[in-house]
Each structure stands twice: as structure tokens, then as C-alpha cells.
């Protein structure tokens, strides 16, 4: 009986799976959005956009890694720095993740978890940032790649997901403070980058003890950003890192310029195609929000958005600008790192959490940022094989020989290490089971300590208002 | 044609939602608007001088004075029409005040 069901579903679904990720995801995304009450034509529009985004990002990845592969090998040989993994930034990683049907599965689970938490009054946040489920999904997918089964991976995703939702409640008064907004303002976020807050807060406490005098050297963040001008923009970064690799790789001037402009063009195109991705999920996001709203009638709640509602704070960008050259240096000397910063060099996945914990003390943001960047580089290096293999599956024939890719500043580096140990522990190896237990206890322990600190902070905010 | 500048972190998610919503809703109300979405960090005085209205998510510090009208568009991101309406109304008032 069971075997028949498996046989039939294989007969029906295998040909669709064999058509490749774009076709499969077109069908699934369209049907899912339709099921959430989105008009069929809107749902289909989203599905097609996802398919072209998956295809488009693959094309650009091919161009970028293809044109850099020879120069990178020469760079590694000439300099002795083994930085052979190309940093493609966030968009291709979102692709890899949104190219998997498991992402929609994790999304549905988290929608249910969120609604249940709201109903049980365990949170005040309704998360409408559907696109960014990929940050959580990639943790689950990586755990499965390392050996976890779907149940273990789902448990890990839910565990981190619940902490993310609790964190958005903890941060809400700080956001009001940073935005100078009244408490009635519903903006908060469950974004993964803020899961670094506990570690940052620990470093911040150490900073309090050792270097409190440094704070008086804080400088004007907006003025710095204004001076940097276009040198911090995507195409400029692509160009000068292309020149950097080209020169150290001993290329001819013609080749150096070709590398520079290819890198600049690729970084701009990644971001354009990234916007297709987000647009593709838009109908589903609206459908889910409508659905959740209906369930929540009469319940007052805050709304979980993508992180950039605080992007108007100049410190986010000033810290990212200063951290970029620091990261380049760290990448070259850090043992175990194989990533040369490129697409992720403006550390948007790092600095918002620094802003929230330090509340805009710029020198602290930079010092703590420099201290935590190695975690991001190591996690990016650890993920490279998984990301490249999964990306290649989008079109195996075309990308079979693609060099290794990853992302230098992907939000949630600690969660990637958790996925790694939990995944490996699932294979039954005793050593990894111990690692996983210790890691999970530490992860939860530091979060609980951080939650206590944030509650103290929030009580102070409440006292100020009273 | 009214030109609006929206901005967020990567210039692709929140600001694109604002762009689509403003273009659609202002279009429905009979105004011809074009909205561009960019990264906050890429905005400079020259860029902003080419627009009629600045539409950030929330208060934004660019390091210089903004000489065009500003309409905070954060509530559009809540995906709840009732909460977005005041933003659209304010945007409509601002467009009218431009007298274009």
C-alpha cells in the first residue's frame, strides 16, 4: 500500500523534479500562493518571476566565477593567500535557498509557529517578512546536507525561529528609541542578523570594563558616509577588487580591466536579480499576511519587517564602510579562511545588530565588528561546498565546473555552526553528539542571559516614559 | 510626472515594496508618479536633487539637509491596507502641494 503511494508519487513528481529547480519552484510557489487566496494570475506572475530569477542569477554566477577562475588561481599562487572561494554576496545564496521546496515547507511551519505563539501570548510580533525565511531555511538545508533528517532539521529551524521571534519583542523598545518613534509604532523585526546580539552584548560588557574611555572618540557617522561617496557603492567595490586580484594575479592591463568591469557588472546585476526574487514572493507574502491577520482579529501586535527600517541610521553604513578594509585584511591573515571579500564586503548582515546592542556608539560598533568578523568568514568558508553543490544543481550541465562560491557576511554565522554540528551528530557519531549538545546549551544559555539584559534595558525605557 | 525616491538597506526589498505600492495607489488616484528604489548609503545631494519627494521607511540621516518634501512610508510595509491609507493620503497632499 505504502509502496504504491511512493511509486505513484514518484511517477507523477519525478518528471517535474527532473525539469530542474526553476520549473519545480514555479509550480510550487504558484500553487501555494493560490492556496493562500491570491488571485491565480498574480500567483502565476510570482511563480514565473521566481523561475527567471533562479535562471538569471545562475547566469551571472557563471560569468563571474568563470572570468575570475584563472586570475584567482594565479592570485593564490603569487601571494600564497589561499582565498579561492568567490564571495558572491547575498543574492546567489538566496537563490540556492529559494530554489529548494524545503524553504516553502519551513516557511509554512514558521507561519504556524508564529500564529500559535501570538495566540498563546508568547509574543507580540506578527512576522510579515516572508522573503527572509531563507536565512532560517539555509540553516535547515545545511543541517540536512551535513546528515540531519527532515525532522531534526525542522526542530532546529523551529528552535532558532522561536528565539528569533522572542528577540524581536526584546528589541522593540530599542527600535523605538533608535527611530525616535512612539511606542505605538509597530515596527520590529525577526531578522537573522540580530541573533548575533547575545555575543555582541557579551563583548560590549567587556568593552565597558576595559575601554569605556574610547567612546568619547565617536565621530559623525553621516559625515563619514558623505565623504566616502560612490567608493562604497557596489560597482566601485567590484571594480577595485577586480583590479586588486588582477594585479596580484599578475594579469595584463587588458585582463585587469576586464576583471574589474566584470566584477562591477556582476555585483550590480546580482542586486537587480535579487529584486526579482523579492517581487516573486510578494503575492505569497500578502496572502500569508491576510491569512494571519484574519486569525488575529482583535489582537494588537507589532509587525516584523526586514531589517532596513533602521537603515536611516548613519551608523549602520559608517561601521560597514570602516569594516570593509578591516575585513579584507582579516581575510588575508585569518587561518582557515578561504574567502576573498567581494559581494559581501559591505557588511549589512553584521552592522544592524551592532547598532541595536551599542545604540549607536560607533567606535564600539567597529571594534566589536572587527572582533566578530572572523566568525562570518569561517562560517562562509564552511558553507562553500554545500552552497556550490546546491547552486550547481540548478543547471548541472552548465555549472558543473563552477569554482567554489559563498558569502562573507551572511547573517547568522553561529546558526550555521549549529547546523553543522547538529547535522553531523545526526549521523550518530558520538563526538558530534557531544559537540551538538554543548553547542545548543551554550547557544540557549547566552540567549537567556541576553534576554535578561534586554529586559533590564526595557524596564529602564519604561521608567523613563513613566 | 512626479518623481519619488524610496530607499532601504539593499535597495531591493522594503524600498521596492514602497515603490510598487506608491506607483499603484497614486496611479489609481490619478497621479502620474515614478518611484525609484535605492540603497540609503548611495543617496547623495546630487541624486536627491533630481526627485520631487523623498519616501524613506522612517527617519533617515544622510549627513546633509534634504530640501524636498519627505513622507515616511514605513506603514506601507505592514501589508495592512488600513494602516497604509494615512501614508497615501499624506503622499497625495504632498503631490498636490508641489503644484506640478
Amino acid at each position: 500500500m505504502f509502496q504504491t503511494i511512493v511509486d505513484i508519487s514518484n511517477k507523477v513528481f519525478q518528471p517535474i523534479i527532473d525539469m530542474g529547480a526553476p520549473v519545480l519552484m514555479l509550480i510550487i510557489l504558484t500553487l501555494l500562493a493560490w492556496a493562500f487566496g491570491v488571485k491565480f494570475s498574480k500567483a502565476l506572475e510570482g511563480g514565473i518571476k521566481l523561475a527567471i530569477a533562479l535562471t538569471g542569477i545562475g547566469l551571472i554566477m557563471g560569468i563571474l566565477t568563470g572570468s575570475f577562475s584563472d586570475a584567482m588561481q594565479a592570485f593564490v599562487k603569487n601571494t600564497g593567500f589561499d582565498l579561492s572561494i568567490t564571495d558572491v554576496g547575498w543574492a546567489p545564496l538566496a537563490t540556492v535557498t529559494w530554489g529548494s521546496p524545503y524553504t516553502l515547507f519551513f516557511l509554512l511551519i514558521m507561519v504556524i509557529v508564529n500564529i500559535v505563539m501570538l495566540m498563546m501570548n508568547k509574543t507580540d510580533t506578527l512576522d510579515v517578512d516572508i522573503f527572509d525565511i531563507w536565512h532560517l531555511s539555509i540553516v535547515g538545508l545545511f543541517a540536512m546536507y551535513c546528515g540531519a533528517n527532515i525532522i531534526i532539521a525542522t526542530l532546529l529551524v523551529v528552535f532558532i525561529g522561536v528565539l528569533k521571534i522572542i528577540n524581536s519583542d526584546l528589541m522593540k523598545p530599542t527600535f523605538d528609541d533608535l527611530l525616535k518613534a512612539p511606542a505605538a509604532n509597530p515596527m520590529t523585526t525577526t531578522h537573522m542578523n540580530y541573533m548575533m546580539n547575545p555575543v555582541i552584548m557579551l563583548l560590549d560588557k567587556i568593552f565597558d570594563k576595559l575601554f569605556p574611555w574610547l567612546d568619547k572618540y565617536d565621530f559623525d557617522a553621516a559625515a563619514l558616509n558623505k565623504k566616502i561617496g560612490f567608493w562604497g557603492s557596489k560597482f566601485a567595490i567590484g571594480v577595485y577588487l577586480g583590479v586588486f586580484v588582477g594585479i596580484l594575479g599578475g594579469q595584463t592591463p587588458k585582463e585587469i580591466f576586464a576583471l574589474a568591469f566584470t566584477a562591477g557588472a556582476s555585483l550590480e546585476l546580482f542586486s537587480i536579480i535579487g529584486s526579482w526574487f523579492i517581487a516573486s514572493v510578494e503575492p505569497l507574502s500578502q496572502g500569508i499576511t491576510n491569512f494571519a491577520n484574519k486569525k488575529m482579529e482583535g489582537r494588537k501586535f507589532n509587525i516584523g519587517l526586514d531589517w532596513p527600517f533602521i537603515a536611516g541610521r548613519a551608523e549602520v553604513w559608517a561601521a560597514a564602510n570602516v569594516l570593509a578594509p578591516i575585513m579584507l585584511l582579516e581575510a588575508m591573515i585569518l587561518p582557515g579562511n578561504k574567502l576573498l571579500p567581494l559581494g559581501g564586503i559591505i557588511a549589512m548582515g553584521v552592522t544592524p545588530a551592532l547598532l541595536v546592542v551599542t545604540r549607536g556608539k560607533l567606535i564600539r560598533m567597529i571594534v566589536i565588528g572587527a572582533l566578530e568578523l572572523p566568525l562570518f568568514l569561517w562560517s562562509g568558508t564552511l558553507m562553500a561546498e554545500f552552497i556550490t553543490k546546491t547552486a550547481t544543481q540548478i543547471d548541472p550541465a552548465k555549472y558543473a565546473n563552477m569554482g567554489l562560491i559563498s558569502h562573507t557576511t551572511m547573517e547568522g554565522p553561529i546558526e550555521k555552526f549549529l547546523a553543522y554540528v547538529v547535522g553531523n551528530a545526526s549521523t550518530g557519531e558520538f563526538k558530534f553528539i557531544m559537540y551538538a549538545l554543548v553547542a545548543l546549551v551554550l547557544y540557549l544559555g547566552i540567549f537567556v542571559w541576553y534576554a535578561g539584559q534586554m529586559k533590564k534595558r526595557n524596564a529602564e525605557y519604561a521608567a523613563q516614559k513613566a | 510626472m512626479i518623481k519619488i525616491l524610496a530607499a532601504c538597506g539593499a535597495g531591493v526589498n522594503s524600498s521596492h515594496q514602497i515603490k510598487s505600492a506608491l506607483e499603484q495607489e497614486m496611479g489609481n488616484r490619478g497621479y502620474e508618479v515614478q518611484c525609484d528604489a535605492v540603497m540609503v548609503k548611495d543617496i547623495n545631494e546630487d541624486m536627491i536633487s533630481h526627485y520631487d519627494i523623498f519616501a524613506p521607511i522612517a527617519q533617515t540621516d544622510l549627513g546633509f539637509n534634504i530640501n524636498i518634501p519627505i513622507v515616511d512610508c514605513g506603514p506601507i510595509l505592514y501589508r495592512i491596507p488600513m494602516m497604509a491609507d494615512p501614508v497615501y493620503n499624506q503622499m497625495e497632499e504632498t503631490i498636490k502641494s508641489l503644484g506640478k
Side-chain angles (χ1 to χ4, degrees):
Chain A
M1 173 63 189
F2 182 69
Q3 195 53 43
T4 339
I5 296 174
V6 172
D7 284 348
I8 292 173
S9 58
N10 274 347
K11 277 219 180 74
V12 176
F13 293 115
Q14 200 55 45
I16 301 176
I17 294 170
D18 289 343
M19 298 276 278
V23 177
L24 178 69
M25 292 309 292
L26 186 160
I27 295 171
I28 298 180
L29 185 70
T30 306
L31 293 180
L32 188 64
W34 195 35
F36 269 100
V38 175
K39 221 169 64 183
F40 185 77
S41 63
K42 270 270 164 211
L44 181 64
E45 182 186 344
I48 295 176
K49 273 190 187 153
L50 183 58
I52 61 159
L54 285 167
T55 309
I57 215 108
L59 292 171
I60 313 299
M61 277 191 306
I63 292 170
L64 181 67
T65 55
S67 59
F68 265 76
S69 67
D70 289 346
M72 275 312 284
Q73 276 169 20
F75 171 89
V76 170
K77 215 172 122 200
N78 286 352
T79 59
F81 297 129
D82 186 10
L83 302 174
S84 48
I85 306 170
T86 309
D87 168 18
V88 290
W90 67 270
L93 275 79
T95 316
V96 166
T97 318
W98 272 104
S100 162
Y102 284 113
T103 296
L104 290 166
F105 168 73
F106 292 134
L107 170 64
L108 289 182
I109 298 278
M110 282 313 300
V111 169
I112 295 167
V113 167
N114 192 183
I115 290 177
V116 169
M117 285 177 74
L118 272 162
M119 286 177 160
M120 291 169 65
N121 285 325
K122 297 289 174 200
T123 181
D124 283 321
T125 304
L126 175 67
D127 195 3
V128 304
D129 183 17
I130 304 299
F131 178 74
D132 280 331
I133 188 69
W134 79 268
H135 294 141
L136 207 45
S137 175
I138 200 169
V139 174
L141 292 174
F142 186 47
M144 290 203 283
Y145 179 81
C146 295
N149 60 30
I150 180 71
I151 296 169
I152 303 271
T154 307
L155 287 175
L156 182 66
V157 163
V158 170
F159 169 64
I160 298 170
V162 167
L163 295 187
K164 270 186 349 118
I165 292 173
I166 293 173
N167 193 28
S168 79
D169 294 328
L170 293 171
M171 294 187 292
K172 172 67 174 53
T174 305
F175 288 131
D176 294 342
D177 177 20
L178 292 170
L179 294 168
K180 300 192 184 68
N185 156 57
M187 286 191 226
T188 186
T189 175
T190 70
H191 199 275
M192 181 68 105
N193 93 80
Y194 299 109
M195 292 308 281
M196 279 306 282
N197 288 5
V199 171
I200 295 170
M201 184 162 274
L202 193 64
L203 292 170
D204 189 56
K205 295 283 174 203
I206 297 171
F207 201 104
D208 272 340
K209 294 270 177 291
L210 298 181
F211 317 106
W213 46 272
L214 261 175
D215 287 332
K216 65 170 179 275
Y217 297 102
D218 271 353
F219 49 93
D220 184 347
L224 173 79
N225 296 340
K226 202 178 148 192
K227 268 194 206 115
I228 288 172
F230 86 94
W231 288 104
S233 58
K234 290 183 285 286
F235 71 93
I237 287 168
V239 167
Y240 53 68
L241 283 171
V243 168
F244 178 75
V245 170
I247 289 176
L248 293 180
Q251 308 286 302
T252 66
K254 190 182 166 193
E255 287 165 333
I256 291 172
F257 283 118
L259 277 180
F261 300 145
T262 307
S266 300
L267 294 193
E268 289 290 338
L269 289 171
F270 278 145
S271 144
I272 290 173
I273 298 173
S275 74
W276 301 351
F277 263 106
I278 290 158
S280 75
V281 189
E282 190 55 37
L284 179 65
S285 303
Q286 191 61 51
I288 288 181
T289 310
N290 293 347
F291 169 80
N293 262 322
K294 248 184 243 153
K295 299 265 164 233
M296 286 300 123
E297 244 163 304
R299 169 85 155 84
K300 199 181 152 296
F301 48 75
N302 295 318
I303 298 174
L305 302 174
D306 193 2
W307 73 266
F309 61 90
I310 56 159
R313 293 286 304 215
E315 299 93 334
V316 170
W317 304 110
N321 282 329
V322 178
L323 284 171
I326 295 177
M327 176 161 44
L328 194 56
L329 279 176
E330 285 186 5
M332 288 193 275
I333 56 172
L334 184 70
N337 170 56
K338 296 195 171 183
L339 266 162
L340 179 68
L342 175 66
I345 197 167
I346 295 297
M348 285 186 293
V350 181
T351 58
L354 291 165
L355 173 70
V356 165
V357 175
T358 67
R359 287 180 279 190
K361 294 193 182 111
L362 196 50
I363 301 267
R364 284 181 194 234
M365 289 176 69
I366 292 164
V367 172
I368 298 173
L371 289 173
E372 61 166 344
L373 275 176
L375 289 175
F376 288 82
L377 292 169
W378 281 324
S379 112
T381 303
L382 182 70
M383 300 276 287
E385 191 191 277
F386 154 71
I387 292 164
T388 312
K389 275 207 179 132
T390 323
T392 335
Q393 278 161 9
I394 295 174
D395 190 346
K398 223 185 236 160
Y399 306 119
N401 298 317
M402 188 172 75
L404 285 173
I405 57 165
S406 191
H407 179 6
T408 41
T409 52
M410 181 169 23
E411 33 283 274
I414 295 175
E415 288 73 14
K416 308 305 184 309
F417 295 123
L418 275 184
Y420 179 76
V421 288
V422 167
N424 276 291
S426 309
T427 60
E429 201 182 324
F430 180 74
K431 185 177 77 179
F432 273 106
I433 295 177
M434 293 317 291
Y435 286 163
L437 285 176
V438 171
L440 287 168
V441 168
L442 279 177
Y443 183 76
L444 185 62
I446 190 170
F447 186 87
V448 169
W449 169 78
Y450 155 81
Q453 296 294 319
M454 287 301 273
K455 280 176 189 157
K456 266 190 227 160
R457 179 191 282 194
N458 294 343
E460 282 164 24
Y461 278 132
Q464 277 170 24
K465 284 218 179 84
Chain B
M1 167 73 80
I2 306 291
K3 289 192 75 185
I4 301 173
L5 185 65
C8 70
V12 295
N13 191 4
S14 307
S15 56
H16 258 260
Q17 281 182 43
I18 291 173
K19 167 190 159 71
S20 313
L22 286 179
E23 285 181 347
Q24 192 184 341
E25 181 63 26
M26 291 303 118
N28 289 345
R29 296 184 184 202
Y31 300 98
E32 203 187 338
V33 302
Q34 187 212 323
C35 185
D36 292 332
V38 296
M39 286 173 85
V40 169
K41 71 187 285 294
D42 289 347
I43 301 177
N44 54 38
E45 283 174 285
D46 178 49
M47 180 193 283
I48 216 163
S49 72
H50 298 292
Y51 290 89
D52 301 306
I53 298 169
F54 183 43
I57 307 172
Q59 199 178 58
T60 297
D61 178 9
L62 297 171
F64 55 85
N65 288 328
I66 301 166
N67 294 322
I68 58 174
I70 302 171
V71 179
D72 282 355
C73 289
I76 288 175
L77 304 176
Y78 308 160
R79 299 180 188 285
I80 299 169
M82 211 178 65
M83 298 178 88
D85 273 341
V87 173
Y88 297 137
N89 294 341
Q90 195 193 342
M91 185 57 81
E92 186 172 358
E93 288 306 310
T94 312
I95 292 174
K96 277 188 197 156
S97 74
L98 291 172
K100 276 199 167 181

